Amino acid sequence: MARGTIHQTIDLLQRAITQLGAELPPGQVEKIGVMVNKAMSVQGRTFHTPEHVLALADRSNPHITLAALFHDIVYFHVDEGFLPEIKEILEPYLSTNAAGDLTISQGISRKDRAFWGTCAVFGFNPGDVLNPFSGMNEFLSALVMNTLLVGLLKDQDLFITTPCIEATIPFRPTTPEGKSPAEVLAERLKRINVQFELSLPESGIDTSVQCAVQFANRDVMNFAEEDVARFLDNTWKLLPETNPALRHQGIYTIGHYRHALQKMLGFLTGLEPQRVFSQYKGEPSDEKYQRLLAGADRNLKTARDYLGIKLVTAVILEAFAMATGGDAPISLFLGDLDPHGPGGNIEDYLPEVSKDKKPKDDRLFALLSEGRANESYFDLKNSPLSCFIYQHLGIEECRVVKSKTEELIAGSISPEGFLAGLPREMVSAVASAIGTMAWTRKAALDSLMARLRS
């Protein structure tokens, strides 16, 4: 019989602790397991969930299992703070500076090995400002784990598990000296080995870093998905985590949606495969590492084009909205975003596209017409309007139009001027479909189209 995520979380925690030769009373195992499951189930989360933990855990490797359980329990801005249980653990270690930033407290006792050990692994110091884009969540997650498990597990075991969590700080470049994040971590661990008198051989330090690299690569393995539709599926799960407005299905506006797509596209445009996956002293092997890089490169290129087409569509909708009365809920123009809902969809009112405009054996056409791997609660799985626009423009023209969207967003051109630069047949068809969906805009749309035709 299948067990729920809360039971699986508790089972994994108990198994990992037992494998490491430690014992914890059942009530304490339950308390910690429930806290982990609760933290991963906060409403704003759509990717960093209990299922993510279960996918990363390795029942044969207790260090990786513990890292999986704890590495994402703090997600400060998405969760809008801390769970009460987590806040109670972290409160002694956190302060707020005059600017309102969260900082690491000063004056912590040198006897607090959980605190000083975590700081040493992450390279943080008392007084440092915690930045959510530079390891804040990972550091605090590791600090919770170490505070709960110090004295229960051997220091040598926490010496392996804590670096696993540090290594999940994502997308870091090499240092100016050309050192990778894994190499920097190895240097820190050598110092910790002396500072905390762990008496580990150099091979033990290498093993710890290799374990960390293995776990970090597991954490971002979706970037190397064989099926790009599954990669995009995970990308879409992240959108409402980082864009709270999208959590309100049917209410978020065209502008909200465009802004979310714009941010994600901007992020992926600047991301290189070498900043996604790591390698350290043969972990992973050169062959596997090259496969990971090639998979990430393929998926990133496809995702940029896919998001570019989606962004062009959103900006076209935004231009129509701005020219006919202002921003509006995206569902007003597109219809019901629930594929099982009773309402109509703009797809029902778009004309058939002539066969000569339909791309053949095209991966982007398949993604737009058939959709990502799974349904999304805030957006359609497939993209009928984007598919329609792509068929009219093609990929090269979509890229040209995407560059012009920046001018509209910046206010350099008017909404009407932007629409005037697009194929008249396509613009007219989209305007007619929007007018059918949102009859309150029909008169303004008819007037706009009359001006564009003159």
Side-chain angles (χ1 to χ4, degrees):
M1 180 182 295
R3 291 169 66 77
T5 60
I6 192 168
H7 300 99
Q8 292 183 67
T9 300
I10 293 170
D11 292 348
L12 284 171
L13 178 62
Q14 173 63 26
R15 181 183 179 88
I17 289 172
T18 301
Q19 286 173 319
L20 293 175
E23 292 184 11
L24 196 61
Q28 192 65 10
V29 174
E30 177 187 307
K31 182 178 179 181
I32 296 174
V34 168
M35 182 194 73
V36 169
N37 188 263
K38 185 177 177 182
M40 301 298 293
S41 303
V42 173
Q43 187 175 8
R45 298 187 182 215
T46 47
F47 179 80
H48 298 93
T49 61
E51 289 75 16
H52 179 59
V53 168
L54 299 176
L56 287 180
D58 181 349
R59 294 174 66 85
S60 66
N61 188 323
H63 299 109
I64 282 182
T65 293
L66 287 176
L69 287 166
F70 285 96
H71 79 293
D72 277 333
I73 60 170
V74 173
Y75 205 176
F76 187 75
H77 289 82
V78 171
D79 297 343
E80 299 180 353
F82 302 114
L83 286 183
E85 303 95 315
I86 291 175
K87 183 178 180 180
E88 183 179 354
I89 294 169
L90 293 176
E91 208 160 26
Y93 304 112
L94 297 176
S95 303
T96 305
N97 64 16
D101 300 314
L102 209 58
T103 65
I104 301 175
S105 293
Q106 303 189 55
I108 303 298
S109 170
R110 278 285 171 183
K111 295 180 180 180
D112 192 330
R113 291 176 71 82
F115 171 77
W116 289 106
T118 308
C119 284
V121 170
F122 280 77
F124 289 177
N125 295 290
D128 284 353
V129 173
L130 292 171
N131 184 330
F133 302 106
S134 301
M136 168 184 168
N137 293 317
E138 293 82 1
F139 169 72
L140 295 178
S141 294
L143 183 54
V144 171
M145 178 188 72
N146 288 334
T147 301
L148 290 170
L149 300 182
V150 70
L152 173 70
L153 299 182
K154 298 174 184 176
D155 284 352
Q156 288 85 348
D157 289 317
L158 295 177
F159 183 81
I160 297 174
T161 302
T162 306
C164 286
I165 297 179
E166 193 279 346
T168 64
I169 301 173
F171 315 128
R172 288 176 287 180
T174 56
T175 67
E177 297 76 29
K179 294 178 181 178
S180 70
E183 290 169 331
V184 173
L185 178 61
E187 291 181 352
R188 287 199 207 116
L189 296 188
K190 290 176 184 178
R191 293 193 293 270
I192 293 168
N193 191 31
V194 174
Q195 178 186 351
F196 286 81
E197 300 178 344
L198 298 176
S199 302
L200 291 172
E202 187 168 341
S203 61
I205 292 171
D206 286 341
T207 298
S208 180
V209 178
Q210 288 170 330
C211 184
V213 165
Q214 181 186 356
F215 179 67
N217 285 343
R218 287 167 69 98
D219 194 32
V220 291
M221 194 57 70
N222 70 93
F223 275 86
E225 279 278 5
E226 290 293 328
D227 182 1
V228 68
R230 293 187 64 83
F231 170 65
L232 288 170
D233 194 43
N234 285 317
T235 302
W236 242 247
K237 288 179 182 178
L238 288 168
L239 286 176
E241 282 196 352
T242 53
N243 299 275
L246 300 190
R247 300 171 194 170
H248 306 288
Q249 185 194 48
I251 298 175
Y252 66 85
T253 68
I254 298 167
H256 287 143
Y257 188 63
R258 184 267 302 162
H259 181 65
L261 295 176
Q262 187 181 7
K263 282 200 313 183
M264 182 60 76
L265 179 58
F267 164 67
L268 294 180
T269 298
L271 186 59
E272 299 174 350
Q274 291 79 4
R275 291 176 65 172
V276 177
F277 292 108
S278 303
Q279 185 184 38
Y280 182 79
K281 293 189 176 182
E283 176 56 49
S285 67
D286 289 342
E287 181 182 356
K288 183 174 181 180
Y289 184 56
Q290 291 304 318
R291 285 203 308 270
L292 293 175
L293 294 181
D297 185 60
R298 178 189 65 246
N299 286 334
L300 285 169
K301 286 176 178 176
T302 303
R304 288 166 193 149
D305 281 336
Y306 177 83
L307 279 160
I309 297 166
K310 297 278 286 184
L311 178 62
V312 165
T313 303
V315 173
I316 289 173
L317 288 175
E318 193 171 20
F320 274 119
M322 292 164 65
T324 61
D327 202 4
I330 196 167
S331 57
L332 180 67
F333 280 26
L334 295 185
D336 202 330
L337 297 179
D338 180 354
H340 308 295
N345 186 281
I346 195 170
E347 179 182 15
D348 301 330
Y349 306 107
L350 291 171
E352 285 285 329
V353 178
S354 59
K355 292 183 179 180
D356 63 309
K357 290 183 178 179
K358 291 186 177 181
K360 296 179 180 179
D361 301 322
D362 184 274
R363 71 190 191 288
L364 289 171
F365 178 73
L367 286 168
L368 294 167
S369 59
E370 298 170 18
R372 301 176 299 277
N374 293 295
E375 301 286 356
S376 167
Y377 78 88
F378 73 95
D379 196 9
L380 291 174
K381 174 183 173 182
N382 65 334
S383 308
L385 181 57
S386 291
C387 189
F388 179 82
I389 289 170
Y390 172 57
Q391 288 174 274
H392 278 271
L393 296 179
I395 187 58
E396 294 303 327
E397 187 61 23
C398 275
R399 290 170 180 159
V400 172
V401 174
K402 181 171 71 70
S403 67
K404 294 179 181 178
T405 64
E406 297 170 7
E407 299 177 36
L408 175 63
I409 293 167
S412 302
I413 57 174
S414 68
E416 194 167 320
F418 173 77
L419 293 170
L422 300 175
R424 187 66 48 79
E425 177 189 359
M426 181 191 79
V427 171
S428 180
V430 174
S432 176
I434 293 173
T436 305
M437 292 299 303
W439 64 265
T440 50
R441 302 281 181 121
K442 189 175 187 310
L445 284 163
D446 290 344
S447 177
L448 170 63
M449 292 308 302
R451 293 194 301 275
L452 290 176
R453 293 189 190 101
S454 62

